[in-house]
Amino acid sequence: MRITLIAGLIAAASAAPAFAQDAPPPAPLSGFHVEGLVGYDSTEIADDSEGGILYGARAGYDFQSGRAVFGIEAEANDSTNEGCVTGIAAANDRLCVGAGRELFFGGRAGFIVGRNVLLYGTAGYTNARFDVDYDDGTAGGTSNFVDHADLDGIRVGAGAQFGVGRNAYVRTELRYANYEQGSDRGQALAAFGFHF
């Protein structure tokens, strides 16, 4: 699955020169932007190594100086990724962990390499919530509990942004986050947004 996503991102990037020829004149990249995003979350949870769907929204402000672009961004996303294991403390018990919401605040820096193409890198602070649900497997469920853990971390990423209109754009991005307590996650996503 990861190889397919990476191959798709590379194909999109290699098609950028032809795509840019048909695009309208580039818009300045300075100012506010908002976007919706969807992608793949490869967080390995319990016995689930398949990952899940990532979805969310991002907003930010960019500063352009010549071909260089610098910006700040904030993001909130969620994930369908969940996994369960059994037989932790008893024969019939079950522990399920789900990747919940993730919050991010950081910066990005990039360089305009074509008429409507921006290559960039991102880095910043992230906080992820992991939801925990334990069922002890007994009729009374005296040891059952539901809880969550909020983990702080650092996220880095790289991507490409393609202008598709005077103020519209699409982005592809790969990123990696490392959290406290030894947790980490990788994500690949696509986004559609607008500059104001």
Side-chain angles (χ1 to χ4, degrees):
M1 179 90 178
R2 286 185 199 165
I3 293 172
T4 305
L5 286 168
I6 292 170
L9 293 173
I10 291 170
S14 64
F19 180 73
Q21 290 175 358
D22 298 330
L29 296 180
S30 294
F32 287 101
H33 65 268
V34 295
E35 60 195 54
L37 54 93
V38 64
Y40 172 71
D41 180 9
S42 69
T43 310
E44 188 168 333
I45 298 176
D47 65 343
D48 175 26
S49 60
E50 295 301 314
I53 297 172
L54 168 78
Y55 55 93
R58 179 163 49 191
Y61 192 92
D62 289 321
F63 307 87
Q64 181 177 350
S65 177
R67 289 184 164 273
V69 175
F70 304 93
I72 55 172
E73 294 186 317
E75 178 186 323
N77 67 61
D78 207 341
S79 174
T80 63
N81 195 2
E82 182 180 46
C84 298
V85 291
T86 58
I88 305 280
N92 296 320
D93 68 352
R94 181 179 174 92
L95 176 69
C96 294
V97 180
R101 64 102 184 111
E102 181 187 25
L103 305 175
F104 171 81
F105 182 78
R108 76 169 178 161
F111 195 76
I112 299 170
V113 296
R115 181 171 173 165
N116 286 307
V117 182
L118 171 71
L119 299 181
Y120 64 89
T122 67
Y125 164 80
T126 183
N127 177 275
R129 173 166 291 176
F130 292 91
D131 300 311
V132 180
D133 186 347
Y134 178 75
D135 185 334
D136 66 12
T138 64
T142 56
S143 300
N144 293 357
F145 68 87
V146 175
D147 201 357
H148 68 265
D150 293 339
L151 303 180
D152 297 321
I154 299 294
R155 190 171 84 191
V156 295
Q161 178 173 311
F162 308 95
V164 293
R166 182 65 185 160
N167 295 308
Y169 63 88
V170 293
R171 285 168 72 167
T172 60
E173 190 172 297
L174 294 173
R175 60 214 199 168
Y176 170 79
N178 186 271
Y179 306 101
E180 57 189 328
Q181 300 182 15
S183 300
D184 63 355
R185 77 197 309 172
Q187 298 169 335
L189 63 90
F192 180 78
F194 294 94
H195 282 286
F196 297 98

